[in-house]
Amino acid sequence: MELQLNDLTKKFGNFTAVDHVSLTMTNGVYGLLGVNGAGKTTLMRMLCTLIKPTSGNITYKGKNILELDGRYRQLLGYLPQEFGFYPEFTVQDYLLYIASIKGLRPAVAKRRTKELIQKVGLSKAAKKKMKTLSGGMKRRAGIAQAMLNDPRILILDEPTAGLDPNERIRFRNLISELSEERLVLLSTHIVSDIEYIANEIWLMKGGKIIRRGALDEIVGNMPETVWICRVEKQKVSFMINKYKVSNMKSEEDRAELRIVSADRPLPDAVQVKPTLEDAFLYYFGEKAGSEDVEI
């Protein structure tokens, strides 16, 4: 299986949301990481044929997905940032309804609904109405609906929004399990969602893919270094305004700062191994004192 983005561009008037993106995907997990407004959702909506590119194209096994039409969509599972549902439907009824829209036979729909309700941890809520669910539980129902047709291509836009830490862990384990036999594209601005499960990470900014590669490549090729240093508390504001600080830990009368900087920030600063969170700050963040902060 091969999905290719060929010089893909999408403009809305004079605004370019996706800017000449070319990528190739096969089985595995691809993490699309960027701040809000980077173009992630527009890219995913084009992959789902919901909007057409201004120029360029997307091909599946060498054929344009717009020409494949329904044959391509049969392979597709999609969870948008916001998905619609009938509030009076129970979780079970909602999934059976979506299964009918996707063309699943009744017997298959019942079996898949039962399997997925259990897999996403909604067994106790199967008979509850959708309007009564918490935000995290609704999100789990959304993940289940995306999986109903056992898709070969699974596209998830901010899938962990509203999930608590335990639910995020369950979700990451589920995605790792699913990716063995399908292509999964996961869009997020939450670093931990993809740090350990993505085979390849794409950093998107201003409609462009500015970096791509495995985790080790992304963090290993950062032009700047990561340092740990301790400062007196009255100096913290100065350091935050001068440097990119990815983390701060308060102590009794001092603070430990994790700083991304090309130069050693203090004589006693200790160099440490960078993480994806450090890389996120380097590529997408600014010093806290900057007027154009974007984190």
Side-chain angles (χ1 to χ4, degrees):
M1 179 171 62
E2 186 175 85
L3 194 61
Q4 280 192 312
L5 285 64
N6 306 299
D7 201 29
L8 196 67
T9 298
K10 180 61 181 180
K11 295 184 177 183
F12 297 98
N14 293 325
F15 174 69
T16 302
V18 175
D19 193 358
H20 298 283
V21 171
S22 294
L23 295 163
T24 300
M25 293 178 279
T26 56
N27 281 4
V29 179
Y30 295 82
L32 181 58
L33 186 62
V35 297
N36 292 330
K40 305 188 301 296
T41 294
T42 300
L43 179 62
M44 297 185 117
R45 287 174 65 84
M46 285 191 284
L47 281 163
C48 294
T49 71
L50 296 174
I51 56 176
K52 294 181 179 180
T54 304
S55 62
N57 59 55
I58 304 168
T59 58
Y60 174 73
K61 292 184 177 180
K63 296 182 180 179
N64 192 309
I65 63 171
L66 295 177
E67 295 174 2
L68 289 171
D69 197 27
R71 287 174 290 167
Y72 172 72
R73 284 193 290 275
Q74 288 177 352
L75 305 169
L76 194 65
Y78 176 48
L79 174 63
Q81 286 190 45
E82 301 292 338
F83 67 96
F85 56 85
Y86 290 102
E88 296 296 328
F89 277 19
T90 64
V91 172
Q92 181 175 284
D93 289 341
Y94 165 68
L95 293 176
L96 288 170
Y97 171 68
I98 297 298
S100 69
I101 291 175
K102 293 188 175 187
L104 274 67
R105 298 192 307 275
V108 175
K110 288 181 181 179
R111 175 174 56 81
R112 289 292 293 162
T113 293
K114 184 177 180 180
E115 289 173 355
L116 288 166
I117 284 176
Q118 182 177 8
K119 184 162 280 191
V120 300
L122 286 176
S123 296
K124 293 181 179 179
K127 300 293 186 179
K128 290 185 177 181
K129 292 183 178 182
M130 291 291 292
K131 68 179 182 181
T132 68
L133 302 183
S134 66
M137 294 173 79
K138 287 174 183 173
R139 208 68 188 158
R140 280 188 260 165
I143 293 169
Q145 67 80 25
M147 289 298 303
L148 278 167
N149 59 326
D150 195 20
R152 301 297 90 192
I153 300 168
L154 184 58
I155 297 179
L156 308 170
D157 195 357
E158 301 286 353
T160 62
L163 301 187
D164 65 31
N166 286 332
E167 290 172 324
R168 279 203 171 96
I169 291 170
R170 178 193 288 129
F171 166 77
R172 291 198 296 265
N173 291 340
L174 174 61
I175 294 304
S176 293
E177 178 186 337
L178 294 174
S179 67
E180 294 179 5
E181 52 189 25
R182 73 194 80 226
L183 185 161
V184 180
L185 177 60
L186 164 61
S187 162
T188 186
H189 62 277
I190 302 171
V191 171
S192 60
D193 282 353
I194 62 172
E195 189 163 14
Y196 300 108
I197 65 170
N199 303 105
E200 185 169 308
I201 297 168
W202 304 341
L203 304 184
M204 191 170 192
K205 185 175 184 179
K208 295 179 179 289
I209 302 298
I210 59 171
R211 288 290 184 277
R212 56 177 293 198
L215 174 63
D216 290 344
E217 295 175 287
I218 297 292
V219 301
N221 293 329
M222 275 178 54
E224 294 188 359
T225 305
V226 181
W227 311 88
I228 293 289
C229 59
R230 289 178 173 82
V231 300
E232 296 175 356
K233 285 196 172 178
Q234 60 265 35
K235 294 183 180 179
V236 169
S237 294
F238 169 79
M239 296 295 287
I240 288 177
N241 278 277
K242 186 175 181 180
Y243 296 103
K244 295 176 181 177
V245 178
S246 64
N247 207 349
M248 181 178 76
K249 177 177 154 183
S250 290
E251 299 173 350
E252 287 186 8
D253 57 347
R254 299 169 71 82
E256 181 182 277
L257 305 180
R258 187 179 182 94
I259 292 173
V260 180
S261 172
D263 303 315
R264 188 183 296 269
L266 292 173
D268 60 349
V270 178
Q271 184 177 343
V272 294
K273 185 177 179 180
T275 65
L276 185 57
E277 194 171 62
D278 297 319
F280 186 91
L281 177 67
Y282 172 76
Y283 288 112
F284 301 117
E286 299 292 343
K287 296 186 289 293
S290 298
E291 294 181 1
D292 299 323
V293 61
E294 184 187 54
I295 56 176

